[in-house]
Amino acid sequence: MKKVDKFVIVLRNDRIRNYIRLGYVITAINLVPFILFLFFKESRIAGLTGLLAAIIYFLIRYFIVKKRQAQYYLDENIFFILAAAWLLQSNVMAVLILATGILFKISLQQWRFVFSENFVLKDFFPRKKIEWSTLQTVILKDGILTLDFNNDRLLQAPVEASNTEEEDEFNEFAREMLSLHRS
């Protein structure tokens, strides 16, 4: 069996569909004022800008999804586009939508752990390097990753994909790293 010096484990995020739905709702709520802006001469340019930018964005995303390069029709970029369009009308709304886009981007991140020979990297927001010496036990069993810390903290979560052979290989690696870094 070949020796692996790094494992990447992706945890399952069951809330992504809810985040996407919420993103659609927030986007729709933001498009309503742009439609209303079309009826007033002084804000017509802002209304056209916001609506055209959103339509172009959704057309581009539609073709990207059709070519299977993406999973959803919505990502954080719609909020950044809407924030830019809001700059024509309201700086406060632009900042709020920009903050919403940043939070949306964070919520759609994959929850990845990278297990290397030197440390464990929690590779999602907030990113954190975990020393092997701070861990008591690391186990991947039946599709559940368990990290038991020395300070009695416990992290347990289901992983995206797992099979018994990979689990055995990972568990052997984890046992080796834990024993190596305890001494």
Side-chain angles (χ1 to χ4, degrees):
M1 189 163 30
K2 66 179 181 170
K3 182 170 171 25
V4 179
D5 63 343
K6 181 169 91 169
F7 283 89
V8 177
I9 305 231
V10 178
L11 302 181
R12 193 169 64 223
N13 186 351
D14 296 328
R15 297 180 185 157
I16 285 187
R17 287 183 184 231
N18 293 335
Y19 298 148
I20 295 292
R21 286 184 190 126
L22 183 61
Y24 280 120
V25 169
I26 293 170
T27 301
I29 289 170
N30 268 280
L31 290 178
V32 170
F34 288 112
I35 293 169
L36 294 176
F37 291 160
L38 294 175
F39 296 107
F40 301 100
K41 189 174 186 178
E42 60 276 356
S43 60
R44 193 167 288 147
I45 291 176
L48 277 172
T49 303
L51 288 175
L52 286 175
I55 290 169
I56 291 169
Y57 165 81
F58 279 111
L59 285 173
I60 290 170
R61 289 295 296 175
Y62 174 79
F63 289 114
I64 289 173
V65 168
K66 284 298 178 195
K67 290 191 176 211
R68 299 195 190 274
Q69 295 175 349
Q71 192 173 3
Y72 301 105
Y73 291 105
L74 188 71
D75 65 4
E76 69 279 355
N77 293 325
I78 187 63
F79 296 107
F80 302 143
I81 291 168
L82 288 173
W86 270 109
L87 281 174
L88 296 172
Q89 202 63 27
S90 167
N91 292 341
V92 173
M93 279 301 294
V95 169
L96 289 174
I97 298 303
L98 183 64
T100 303
I102 292 168
L103 292 173
F104 193 71
K105 180 174 179 60
I106 290 170
S107 69
L108 294 182
Q109 282 183 332
Q110 277 191 328
W111 296 344
R112 292 174 8 127
F113 281 92
V114 180
F115 295 86
S116 70
E117 292 180 347
N118 300 321
F119 54 86
V120 178
L121 178 66
K122 182 183 141 226
D123 195 19
F124 55 95
F125 185 82
R127 198 171 181 172
K128 183 178 180 185
K129 188 170 145 183
I130 303 167
E131 297 297 330
W132 282 103
S133 59
T134 64
L135 295 166
Q136 187 173 355
T137 312
V138 177
I139 298 172
L140 178 60
K141 184 166 173 66
D142 298 329
I144 305 285
L145 175 66
T146 303
L147 301 177
D148 187 6
F149 293 84
N150 291 334
N151 63 0
D152 291 332
R153 246 183 13 157
L154 183 70
L155 184 142
Q156 224 172 17
V159 298
E160 279 290 324
S162 178
N163 68 42
T164 309
E165 189 176 303
E166 287 175 356
E167 285 182 2
D168 293 340
E169 194 174 347
F170 172 78
N171 289 330
E172 179 61 35
F173 172 80
R175 269 192 298 278
E176 187 180 314
M177 291 302 109
L178 286 168
S179 66
L180 179 71
H181 290 277
R182 276 199 187 116
S183 14

